[in-house]
Amino acid sequence: LTTIEQSSEVEAGAAVAVDEVAISMRQVQQQERGSPPAGSAINCDASSSHCGNADAADPDHAMLLAAILLTDSVVGRSMPFKADPKSLRSYQLYCHWAMTIIFYVFIVADLLVIVMERPQIPAMAEVPVWIPLLIECSCIGFFAFRIWWYFSITETVQFFRDIKNIVVVVCIALNVIDVFCFLIWFGVSGSADAPVRWFRILRPLYMINFPEGKQIRRAFRNTRKTLVKIATVFILVGFLMAVFALLAMKLFSARASRTLRYPNGAPYFESYLESIWDLYILITTANSPDVMMPSYDANNFYIIFFFVFVVVCNYIFMSIFLAVIYNNYKNYLKSEVRTSVHIKRRLIGRAFDCLKINRVPDLGDVVTKDAWFRLFKTVYPNKNSELAQLFLNVLNGGTNDYLTKAQFTRLPDLLNVGVTELKDRTLLLESCLPTVYNSAPSQLIKFIVRHRFFKYTFDLLIVVNAFLIAFSVNFTEWYFLGAFVLEILLKLYVMGPVAFFRRAWNIFDFVVIFSALIITFFEEVSNERRLEEGTLDIILVLRVVRLLRIFGRIQRFRVILTTIANIRSPLSVYAAIVWVLYYMYGVLGMELFSGRIRAEVYTAQSPKFCYNNALNNSEFYRMRYCSNNFNDPLKAWVTLFELTIVNQWHVITEGFVLVTNKFSRLYFMSFHLICVILVINIFIAFILEAFLLEYNLSASKFESDIEQKIKEMGFSAVSEAILDEEDAEEQFELGSQAASQIRFHIKKRARKSVETLLQQMFEKELFEEELADVGESSNPPDPPARSQRNPTFSEMF
């Protein structure tokens, strides 16, 4: 994690590297004013390495470079790259979505190959040793190829200056050594059980240190910095525990209280270290009120000691602990976002330098309409030109055929607003049987299906069906199945397969309803009733999940569900952090505790004590926790999950202490401190912050400027009477608009990227000069006071 922090300087320096290779681009601002021909819209100096030595005779090269810079600024990518034509195209392919998917496939394969390695899960017990080795070697080869590819498109100095690249290279070398040592051991001994695969704990470093893991790397870096900052509070809490432990040991070991024992006969606050351990568990509330009951039964006044300890340590200092954690993490995260915004502004500024011409004497350099259209088509080849015109009108107000630098710099924020392009569709049935499809009965069917009461009717049927399922009224199943099948067939008839299966809810309905139909029909034909207690019950329960669709149509619930959908991408970053911790601690736990505790079939006649006599008469065995072990990856991760929940985590810990020694507590305590107290608290705090942000934005006019411009240009998809986004898209696609032209619609449920959400989270706290390094004139105004808030997206337009 220490090496991860150093890579932030390189990420922040990526934009500086762009500046260095683009420095000669600024020379074009000194050219004579005039209106060059359209063919010279790409204004790149021949000596500019940023433009790949492109000049006016090679506008395609400069356009490609501008398109890459614009794409990087939109998606928040900050990778330095060479600017020659070959490197640019190689960089485009390196960042292609298909290559990114392939990368993550190899990452997942490399991480999950552990389920086939010793100790593996029981289902993989018969897998030969060479299969996981082959998968691992394939992953090593791909990672080596990937880092070589990245090296080939990056300046050598920049590559070796970035510590995360060095980490990847070192990991590949260590991985090769680890595999080679294992092969030697296996070749000599013929057994795959004995050697320690020490590199497995480092496999998540690939996911963290490759450029694709930027968000995870940032979160880990900030978490590590936060851990250092909270050391002061942790030391203070530790001091309080030490004082209270000393007081408890003297208080409960007094002459009048020597008979105090735990119910299992264990000593009660007998030693100082044990007293500290018991009070630490009490801070987690896992042993409350068990730890105080022996003393409370002996003397009711002893409750004062535990009351004071819980109030001071749990409710005061642990709350301060959480506040310090989140405050420091938020400050580090804001610093990261500030750097990211600077990089984005510099990238889009360099893209402007590649396209600008000096044609407007009063405004200076601008990007012409033709250059903007070419750039848009280069970045989004499948998008319609009307969308480019829409964005142009939003940026410049629709009054000019060019973009100034200040207007052009707003492009990344504008392109991150989800705009859906809707088109009229001629259905296959309509093209094959136009007379039948457009007949009066068919028009009546389409009218009924499009009407909002059609949805309300089937929503009511879903509620009634769920009520009957809850009370085991089964004789109505065929009636409901028939009604829901009819609903799907009518939607398919009116919407067409393409529009129908484009929505997740429709796919869910189709799979659930037709699966239930097939299973129920098979039951009736074969008289096989055993399915009724298995698969069919699951299908019926899944059908009840359709109730969520009803909540999605109610305004109050729709805002919450939309907010959750919008923040799921940023939350996946923190889920990845927890997964990395689980993976590392799981591997370490398997190396430390594998085979010491085994699951058993509990019998009173011949107890096995988890196949370890050290657990005889232990609370671990009495509570039947034998399945909580580290004998394979899945068991290890389940055990760590139970530790994360905290309840009874001390019982699990003591079970492994009994079969090893008391130093095992360090493993479980460190996991609790890092994963539960630090990461989970940050995770919860981020959820609250992101949810409140998105919740407020959902009720605001954030996209009002774009929506207004869509209406002014005649590109509005539907009338204002439509209920929600899904209704809007459906109505237009079903042909409610008479004119066969393109329409646009703002996505209210568009998934936000991590970069977009983080920038919005700190937008009001960042200064104006930190969000943009451009101005309308050559002499930028003085920076605003620190108390002045940054303008919102709507105010910028």
Side-chain angles (χ1 to χ4, degrees):
L1 294 180
T2 303
T3 60
I4 297 174
E5 179 184 2
Q6 302 176 24
S7 65
S8 64
E9 300 178 359
V10 179
E11 290 181 356
V16 178
V18 173
D19 287 340
E20 292 175 352
V21 296
I23 191 65
S24 58
M25 290 295 301
R26 298 187 181 276
Q27 298 175 2
V28 299
Q29 297 179 357
Q30 302 175 3
Q31 63 183 352
E32 297 180 357
R33 295 184 179 273
S35 299
S40 61
I42 311 302
N43 197 349
C44 291
D45 191 354
S47 63
S48 174
S49 60
H50 179 78
C51 284
N53 297 326
D55 54 19
D58 188 15
D60 292 336
H61 177 203
M63 179 63 70
L64 176 62
L65 177 58
I68 292 176
L69 292 171
L70 175 59
T71 302
D72 285 359
S73 65
V74 170
V75 301
R77 194 162 47 224
S78 56
M79 297 166 54
F81 55 87
K82 299 177 184 177
D84 59 276
K86 181 179 179 181
S87 298
L88 287 181
R89 300 194 181 279
S90 180
Y91 178 73
Q92 265 192 324
L93 182 59
Y94 180 92
C95 299
H96 195 273
W97 62 268
M99 295 304 301
T100 303
I101 291 177
I102 294 174
F103 168 78
Y104 282 115
V105 168
F106 276 95
I107 284 291
V108 172
D110 187 53
L111 292 175
L112 294 185
V113 73
I114 193 174
V115 301
M116 293 184 286
E117 297 172 336
R118 271 62 171 180
Q120 72 271 62
I121 61 176
M124 298 291 179
E126 302 300 326
V127 175
V129 176
W130 61 268
I131 291 182
L133 277 177
L134 180 62
I135 296 176
E136 185 173 12
C137 291
S138 301
C139 294
I140 296 173
F142 177 80
F143 296 148
F145 166 73
R146 190 73 171 167
I147 197 66
W148 171 83
W149 191 353
Y150 184 62
F151 173 78
S152 66
I153 60 178
T154 309
E155 296 290 346
T156 304
V157 176
Q158 289 290 333
F159 180 87
F160 287 105
R161 188 184 299 173
D162 195 342
I163 193 65
K164 67 177 182 290
N165 296 330
I166 306 301
V167 171
V168 171
V169 173
V170 172
C171 283
I172 292 174
L174 293 177
N175 207 165
V176 172
I177 295 173
D178 182 36
V179 173
F180 186 70
C181 293
F182 175 78
L183 290 175
I184 293 177
W185 178 279
F186 183 75
V188 173
S189 65
S191 173
D193 296 329
V196 176
R197 295 296 309 278
W198 47 268
F199 182 78
R200 297 191 299 178
I201 198 173
L202 301 179
R203 283 174 181 167
L205 293 182
Y206 287 127
M207 180 176 63
I208 296 173
N209 286 282
F210 267 104
E212 290 81 358
K214 173 185 176 181
Q215 301 300 336
I216 302 176
R217 185 168 58 254
R218 169 194 288 170
F220 258 107
R221 182 168 57 243
N222 294 336
T223 302
R224 193 202 65 81
K225 292 179 180 178
T226 303
L227 183 61
V228 175
K229 288 294 184 180
I230 64 175
T232 304
V233 182
F234 183 75
I235 291 174
L236 184 57
V237 174
F239 173 76
L240 288 175
M241 279 200 309
V243 172
F244 274 97
L246 181 61
L247 181 61
M249 187 183 66
K250 297 301 181 182
L251 182 64
F252 301 127
S253 297
R255 183 175 303 174
S257 305
R258 287 178 179 175
T259 58
L260 292 179
R261 294 274 177 174
Y262 284 109
N264 61 358
Y268 190 71
F269 288 95
E270 183 182 39
S271 66
Y272 186 57
L273 293 179
E274 288 297 323
S275 300
I276 293 178
W277 174 251
D278 286 340
L279 291 181
Y280 178 79
I281 297 173
L282 182 56
I283 285 181
T284 68
T285 69
N287 63 348
S288 177
D290 299 341
V291 69
M292 78 172 190
M293 292 311 298
S295 59
Y296 182 64
D297 290 337
N299 190 331
N300 292 167
F301 287 100
Y302 283 141
I303 190 62
I304 299 175
F305 169 84
F306 293 98
F307 176 80
V308 174
F309 176 80
V310 169
V311 169
V312 172
C313 291
N314 283 52
Y315 293 106
I316 296 180
F317 274 93
M318 292 307 293
S319 299
I320 295 175
F321 198 73
L322 173 60
V324 172
I325 286 176
Y326 183 61
N327 182 64
N328 283 278
Y329 183 84
K330 186 175 181 180
N331 289 335
Y332 288 126
L333 189 60
K334 183 169 68 173
S335 177
E336 294 273 0
V337 173
R338 181 187 293 112
T339 301
S340 178
V341 170
H342 275 305
I343 293 174
K344 181 174 69 173
R345 297 303 180 185
R346 291 174 181 174
L347 289 174
I348 194 64
R350 302 292 76 78
F352 178 85
D353 289 340
C354 286
L355 301 176
K356 65 184 180 182
I357 64 171
N358 199 323
R359 62 172 294 182
V360 183
D362 295 334
L363 295 178
D365 299 322
V366 297
V367 172
T368 63
K369 178 180 178 180
D370 292 338
W372 158 241
F373 271 76
R374 289 177 57 199
L375 176 64
F376 185 84
K377 274 299 181 183
T378 304
V379 177
Y380 305 105
N382 298 323
K383 296 289 186 180
N384 199 283
S385 58
E386 279 81 358
L387 185 58
Q389 182 65 51
L390 171 65
F391 287 156
L392 179 66
N393 290 353
V394 171
L395 290 172
N396 61 18
T399 58
N400 303 314
D401 60 349
Y402 55 81
L403 294 173
T404 64
K405 188 172 185 179
Q407 294 168 349
F408 191 85
T409 308
R410 300 168 186 163
L411 265 176
D413 297 322
L414 179 63
L415 295 177
N416 277 319
V417 176
V419 180
T420 303
E421 179 180 322
L422 306 177
K423 298 180 181 179
D424 282 329
R425 291 190 178 95
T426 301
L427 302 182
L428 178 62
L429 184 61
E430 183 179 8
S431 59
C432 295
L433 300 172
T435 304
V436 176
Y437 192 78
N438 295 317
S439 62
S442 178
Q443 294 294 336
L444 178 61
I445 293 175
K446 289 187 284 186
F447 173 79
I448 294 174
V449 174
R450 293 171 186 168
H451 203 281
R452 65 186 63 187
F453 286 104
F454 180 83
K455 293 182 178 182
Y456 295 160
T457 300
F458 283 95
D459 289 345
L460 178 62
L461 287 179
I462 293 174
V463 175
V464 175
N465 185 217
F467 178 83
L468 295 178
I469 290 175
F471 290 92
S472 301
V473 181
N474 298 324
F475 70 91
T476 61
E477 282 307 313
W478 273 109
Y479 301 102
F480 284 104
L481 277 176
F484 294 141
V485 169
L486 178 63
E487 176 197 15
I488 293 175
L489 293 178
L490 289 175
K491 283 187 174 181
L492 283 171
Y493 176 80
V494 176
M495 298 176 62
V498 176
F500 180 85
F501 288 107
R502 202 179 68 178
R503 291 176 178 80
W505 275 119
N506 290 340
I507 297 175
F508 178 81
D509 288 345
F510 183 87
V511 173
V512 169
I513 297 304
F514 277 90
S515 297
L517 179 65
I518 293 172
I519 294 174
T520 306
F521 180 78
F522 178 78
E523 278 188 353
E524 295 295 330
V525 173
S526 63
N527 293 323
E528 181 63 52
R529 296 298 177 183
R530 287 179 299 177
L531 288 175
E532 185 176 355
E533 299 178 358
T535 308
L536 183 59
D537 289 343
I538 297 176
I539 296 295
L540 294 179
V541 172
L542 286 178
R543 195 192 311 169
V544 179
V545 179
R546 300 176 72 204
L547 290 171
L548 288 176
R549 191 178 65 178
I550 300 176
F551 289 105
R553 296 199 180 108
I554 303 174
Q555 175 61 28
R556 292 180 180 273
F557 296 109
R558 184 167 68 245
V559 171
I560 297 176
L561 295 176
T562 303
T563 302
I564 295 174
N566 285 343
I567 67 175
R568 65 183 182 270
S569 181
L571 291 182
S572 64
V573 175
Y574 293 88
I577 296 177
V578 176
W579 159 249
V580 169
L581 290 174
Y582 271 41
Y583 193 92
M584 290 184 168
Y585 270 93
V587 172
L588 182 59
M590 286 190 295
E591 298 295 347
L592 294 175
F593 309 116
S594 176
R596 298 183 181 275
I597 296 176
R598 290 186 292 166
E600 66 166 91
V601 179
Y602 300 97
T603 59
Q605 292 76 17
S606 57
K608 302 290 193 307
F609 305 116
C610 304
Y611 294 92
N612 195 318
N613 289 329
L615 295 175
N616 187 6
N617 294 325
S618 66
E619 190 176 5
F620 184 93
Y621 182 76
R622 287 198 304 271
M623 302 184 92
R624 298 190 174 185
Y625 283 178
C626 295
S627 294
N628 295 327
N629 54 58
F630 291 87
N631 296 340
D632 62 68
L634 295 183
K635 294 283 189 182
W637 295 331
V638 171
T639 303
L640 293 176
F641 176 73
E642 293 178 354
L643 294 174
T644 305
I645 299 175
V646 175
N647 190 37
Q648 300 289 52
W649 76 277
H650 63 292
V651 177
I652 299 175
T653 301
E654 287 305 307
F656 287 96
V657 168
L658 290 174
V659 299
T660 54
N661 54 65
K662 292 186 178 181
F663 287 101
S664 299
R665 291 177 178 174
L666 297 177
Y667 171 87
F668 295 96
M669 182 181 289
S670 63
F671 177 81
H672 180 265
L673 287 174
I674 296 175
C675 188
V676 179
I677 293 183
L678 180 62
V679 175
I680 297 300
N681 281 331
I682 291 176
F683 184 59
I684 294 173
F686 183 85
I687 290 178
L688 294 175
E689 188 81 10
F691 184 85
L692 291 176
L693 171 72
E694 276 298 305
Y695 189 89
N696 293 330
L697 287 178
S698 297
S700 67
K701 299 294 184 181
F702 187 75
E703 298 93 355
S704 59
D705 296 286
I706 300 180
E707 290 179 328
Q708 182 63 32
K709 191 60 64 174
I710 288 176
K711 293 179 181 179
E712 291 177 2
M713 297 176 63
F715 288 152
S716 180
V718 292
S719 64
E720 296 180 357
I722 301 304
L723 293 177
D724 55 25
E725 175 191 3
E726 182 177 326
D727 291 333
E729 294 185 9
E730 283 187 8
Q731 179 171 344
F732 186 76
E733 289 170 355
L734 295 179
S736 62
Q737 299 287 340
S740 59
Q741 58 180 329
I742 295 175
R743 295 288 188 268
F744 300 106
H745 180 70
I746 298 293
K747 287 184 179 180
K748 302 300 182 185
R749 304 177 186 177
R751 181 176 62 181
K752 295 183 182 297
S753 65
V754 180
E755 289 288 340
T756 303
L757 184 60
L758 289 178
Q759 182 178 337
Q760 292 177 5
M761 184 179 295
F762 298 104
E763 190 175 26
K764 293 182 179 180
E765 300 180 38
L766 297 177
F767 312 132
E768 184 176 6
E769 69 271 22
E770 291 173 327
L771 287 178
D773 57 354
V774 297
E776 293 288 347
S777 63
S778 58
N779 296 322
D782 294 332
R786 297 181 69 89
S787 60
Q788 180 176 348
R789 70 175 182 87
N790 185 69
T792 62
F793 181 82
S794 299
E795 292 171 350
M796 293 174 65
F797 297 107

